[in-house]
């Protein structure tokens, strides 16, 4: 089945042009609507994006904080990317992996090397990985990706732990390939449109399959049709005007909701980072300031309250901290963007882009806990079948937190006992105690039971 593009650029431009600076009463009315947690319309998103008054900006951030707190509480889900290959046939001007870039060394990990990288991540305490590759696979073609997923899930029985959820960020697939991907039991299929602006897209994707805007923008439809109902979408901020991009992102989300009854599970907000051999990455055409970046997170939190927001280690530790409160629900930690990077260390001449946060997992976990957030290693929902529309049915009335809070605490306890440094364990145990004390009696009893089971030696306890 072919799909029409879900993006209507004319409507976006018309919306952006129609909003003259809305007055404070109008902005406050939109913020009030946002607090109802039913989402926002395109025009309202455009109006919020135009605000610059410091007082109103403060109110926007306060509203986003409230919604984040109400829906996600203090949980922050943790994952690590696993780069399996930097081979690529495309020419994305902003990426170090692009085909004609001679500034990096190429490497596709063997299955044995992928297993070794997985062991390292498990020993650090990770339970979720995001498998990432350029768009060109070794001789066996796409089955390289399928085998790699199997390899990651297959690493077991070496000390405490295993990877329980593999999410995937690889190039758009055909419908048949998506069905094969679904059969490997992945969590989320993630794909960023990079820019929804067709002419900008054309100017930065010079060759290879990725030059086809429509093939990429319709990939989430094909994935959903193939039965993958946890989809992650995103924009690479810095290529085109961010106001245009978030309106297009909204159109894409509403399109998926309309067609499939459920929108994306997550939205990612990567910003362009310097990359070896890329002028575009060093000099983003439309740079997004830190203030605007925080604004993007806050607006998305109000516009799509039940969609997870992912913040990667592209950003610095201090900016990441600020965005936790504004709406972020998932973060990567201890990341490497070079294939083999967990064994070999960070290597500029193999990496996709530079990182802003170089701390290891234990430091990030401790920092997050010191800020009062519960680092969650939970993989429960998709393993218990709570995905797609089923997940949203629970999430929308707010019921999901009755599962997420206990699961976050029990997986955090697993981390502390099996992998945490003494300093992290001290901070973490204190946080678990105060969190349990602050819960309603029924929730507390469920959570305490799970935490006690973990303390008694059980693992992977879920509710
Ligand atoms: N090759 C596949 C693709 O392009 O969809 C999947 C993996 S690609 C390595 C993952 C993402 O990295 C891209 O979608 C892009 O948004 C991001 N990326 C590429 N270059 C970047 C840069 N210089 N800074 C930040 N993110 C970048
Ligand atoms: Fe290849 Fe993806 Fe990088 Fe483009 S963004 S060059 S497709 S790895």
């Amino acid at each position: 089945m072919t799909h029409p593009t879900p993006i209507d650029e004319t409507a976006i431009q018309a919306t952006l042009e129609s909003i003259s600076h809305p007055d404070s009463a109008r902005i406050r009315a939109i913020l009030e609507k946002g607090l109802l947690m039913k989402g926002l319309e395109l025009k309202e998103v455009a109006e919020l994006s135009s605000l610059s008054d410091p007082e109103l900006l403060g109110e926007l951030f306060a509203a986003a904080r409230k919604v984040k707190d109400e829906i996600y509480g203090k949980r922050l889900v943790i994952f690590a990317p696993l780069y399996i290959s930097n081979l690529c046939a495309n020419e994305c001007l902003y990426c170090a992996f692009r085909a004609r870039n001679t500034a990096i060394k190429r490497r596709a990990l063997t299955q044995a090397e992928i297993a070794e990288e997985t062991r390292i991540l498990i020993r650090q305490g990770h339970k979720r990985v995001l498998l990432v590759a350029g768009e060109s696979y070794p001789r066996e073609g796409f089955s390289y990706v399928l085998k790699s997923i199997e390899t990651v899930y297959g690493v077991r029985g070496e000390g405490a732990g295993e990877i329980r959820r593999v999410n995937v960020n690889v190039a758009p697939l055909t419908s048949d390939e998506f069905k094969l991907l679904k059969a490997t039991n992945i969590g989320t299929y993630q794909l960023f449109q990079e820019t929804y602006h067709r002419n900008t897209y054309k100017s930065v994707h010079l060759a290879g399959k990725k030059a086809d805007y429509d093939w990429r923008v319709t990939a989430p439809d094909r994935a959903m049709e193939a039965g993958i109902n946890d989809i992650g979408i995103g924009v690479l901020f810095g290529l085109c005007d961010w106001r245009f991009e978030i309106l297009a992102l909204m159109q894409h989300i509403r399109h998926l909701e309309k067609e499939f009854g459920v929108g994306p599970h997550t939205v990612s907000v990567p910003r362009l980072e310097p990359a070896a051999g890329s002028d575009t990455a060093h000099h983003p055409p439309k740079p997004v300031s830190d203030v605007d970046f925080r604004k993007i997170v806050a607006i998305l939190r109000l516009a799509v309250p039940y969609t997870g927001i992912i913040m990667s280690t592209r950003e610095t530790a201090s900016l990441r901290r600020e965005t936790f409160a504004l709406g972020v629900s998932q973060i990567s930690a201890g990341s490497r963007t070079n294939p083999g990077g967990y064994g070999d260390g960070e290597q500029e001449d193999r990496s996709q882009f530079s990182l802003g946060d170089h701390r290891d997992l234990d430091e990030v976990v401790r920092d997050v806990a010191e800020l009062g957030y519960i680092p969650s290693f939970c993989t429960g929902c998709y393993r218990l079948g709570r995905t797609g529309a089923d997940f949203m049915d629970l999430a929308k009335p707010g019921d999901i937190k009755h599962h997420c809070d206990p699961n976050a605490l029990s997986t955090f306890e697993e981390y502390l006992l099996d992998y945490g440094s003494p300093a992290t364990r001290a901070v973490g145990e204190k946080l678990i105690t105060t969190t349990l004390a602050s819960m309603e009696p029924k929730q507390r009893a469920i959570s305490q039971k799970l935490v006690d089971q973990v303390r008694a030696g059980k693992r992977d306890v879920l509710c």
Side-chain angles (χ1 to χ4, degrees):
M1 183 176 165
T2 51
H3 299 275
T5 170
I7 308 303
D8 180 349
E9 289 194 21
T10 315
I12 296 174
Q13 298 292 9
T15 307
L16 285 171
E17 278 157 26
S18 73
I19 50 149
S20 49
H21 282 280
D23 60 25
S24 48
R26 171 73 187 147
I27 293 290
R28 287 188 177 118
I30 299 171
L31 296 180
E32 282 299 316
K33 183 176 172 193
L35 286 170
L36 299 176
M37 295 186 289
K38 296 209 158 86
L40 298 177
E41 304 294 323
L42 205 70
K43 180 158 184 275
E44 294 160 340
V45 170
E47 287 171 303
L48 289 185
S49 76
S50 75
L51 76 82
S52 56
D53 173 72
E55 198 181 328
L56 290 173
L57 204 56
E59 290 176 34
L60 165 67
F61 292 159
R65 269 189 214 107
K66 262 195 175 163
V67 170
K68 149 93 198 210
D69 230 40
E70 185 59 37
I71 296 174
Y72 300 87
K74 290 289 183 195
R75 301 181 304 276
L76 269 182
V77 169
I78 310 253
F79 72 95
L82 174 53
Y83 279 70
I84 57 170
S85 161
N86 62 12
L87 311 183
C88 195
N90 293 321
E91 233 352 78
C92 311
L93 287 184
Y94 46 81
C95 178
F97 292 175
R98 74 193 157 81
R100 292 199 281 268
N101 188 13
T102 51
I104 64 158
K105 297 191 183 113
R106 304 289 166 168
R107 181 175 181 190
L109 300 185
T110 63
Q111 296 304 318
E113 288 168 336
I114 293 169
E116 188 45 35
E117 288 280 282
T118 306
R119 270 182 218 109
I120 296 171
L121 289 171
I122 291 172
R123 285 199 291 265
Q124 290 174 3
H126 281 288
K127 296 286 185 277
R128 293 183 173 231
V129 300
L130 171 67
L131 193 124
V132 187
E135 189 170 4
S136 171
Y137 308 115
R139 226 170 299 134
E140 67 255 56
F142 174 63
S143 61
Y144 172 68
V145 173
L146 302 173
K147 272 191 215 157
S148 305
I149 298 165
E150 213 178 293
T151 298
V152 176
Y153 277 133
V155 178
R156 283 173 180 268
E158 303 185 17
E162 63 281 314
I163 296 301
R164 297 175 185 159
R165 176 174 179 140
V166 179
N167 297 332
V168 176
N169 184 323
V170 296
L173 304 173
T174 62
S175 299
D176 286 343
E177 288 169 333
F178 272 126
K179 285 182 193 146
L180 294 172
L181 188 66
K182 159 86 183 157
T184 62
N185 211 10
I186 59 158
T188 307
Y189 171 70
Q190 187 184 70
L191 186 74
F192 309 149
Q193 184 59 25
E194 323 296 13
T195 170
Y196 284 98
H197 191 264
R198 200 176 276 273
N199 283 341
T200 306
Y201 189 93
K202 204 167 155 200
S203 70
V204 291
H205 298 109
L206 300 190
K209 264 192 178 170
K210 191 160 167 182
D212 186 342
Y213 176 104
D214 294 301
W215 178 245
R216 194 169 181 90
V217 82
T218 54
D221 297 68
R222 293 193 298 282
M224 288 267 199
E225 270 166 8
I228 301 176
N229 48 17
D230 274 0
I231 299 287
I233 63 173
V235 164
L236 182 55
F237 286 101
L239 295 173
C240 180
D241 178 12
W242 67 266
R243 292 168 187 82
F244 176 93
E245 301 287 21
I246 58 168
L247 294 197
L249 201 53
M250 290 300 300
Q251 281 189 341
H252 200 178
I253 292 170
R254 299 299 180 224
H255 160 80
L256 293 172
E257 285 173 347
K258 185 164 157 261
E259 290 299 312
F260 302 100
V262 61
H265 189 61
T266 54
V267 170
S268 295
V269 290
R271 262 198 305 189
L272 261 184
E273 293 298 328
S278 165
D279 275 352
T280 309
H282 282 94
H283 306 287
K286 298 278 179 191
V288 175
S289 70
D290 286 356
V291 174
D292 284 341
F293 190 61
R294 285 154 59 211
K295 226 157 102 179
I296 290 169
V297 173
I299 294 172
L300 286 175
R301 186 65 302 138
L302 296 178
V304 282
Y306 294 97
T307 303
I309 301 180
I310 301 184
M311 183 64 55
S312 77
T313 50
R314 290 174 180 85
E315 301 299 335
T316 61
S318 66
L319 191 62
R320 269 154 58 91
R321 281 187 200 108
E322 288 185 60
T323 61
F324 298 163
L326 297 177
V328 165
S329 55
Q330 290 193 26
I331 59 167
S332 50
S335 308
R336 299 280 179 276
T337 67
N338 50 314
Y342 295 108
D344 302 345
E346 231 175 305
Q347 290 173 327
E348 270 300 299
D349 62 354
R350 289 188 203 273
S351 298
Q352 195 194 9
F353 49 80
S354 314
L355 299 173
D357 183 347
H358 301 264
R359 297 170 301 165
D360 67 20
L361 175 63
D362 195 68
E363 273 180 274
V364 174
V365 167
R366 188 164 60 248
D367 184 37
V368 162
E370 274 167 349
L371 293 168
Y373 294 98
I374 302 158
S376 172
F377 294 86
C378 180
T379 53
C381 276
Y382 106 101
R383 288 162 68 222
L384 297 175
R386 294 193 293 257
T387 62
D390 290 342
F391 172 84
M392 285 300 169
D393 285 349
L394 278 170
K396 290 205 169 152
D399 289 349
I400 197 71
K401 65 179 171 202
H402 299 311
H403 298 281
C404 297
D405 285 343
N407 290 340
L409 286 176
S410 66
T411 54
F412 183 32
E413 182 66 32
E414 274 192 43
Y415 174 84
L416 294 174
L417 293 178
D418 296 340
Y419 315 98
S421 64
T424 304
R425 213 176 284 172
V427 175
E429 291 296 355
K430 212 164 133 194
L431 179 64
I432 290 178
T433 307
T434 52
T435 307
L436 284 168
S438 69
M439 286 175 148
E440 291 159 16
K442 197 171 153 210
Q443 275 290 92
R444 186 187 315 139
I446 299 169
S447 305
Q448 185 73 61
K449 189 171 150 212
L450 292 189
V451 170
D452 287 345
Q453 285 175 347
V454 172
R455 286 178 182 158
K458 268 189 131 185
R459 293 291 174 269
D460 203 13
V461 290
L462 291 174
C463 76

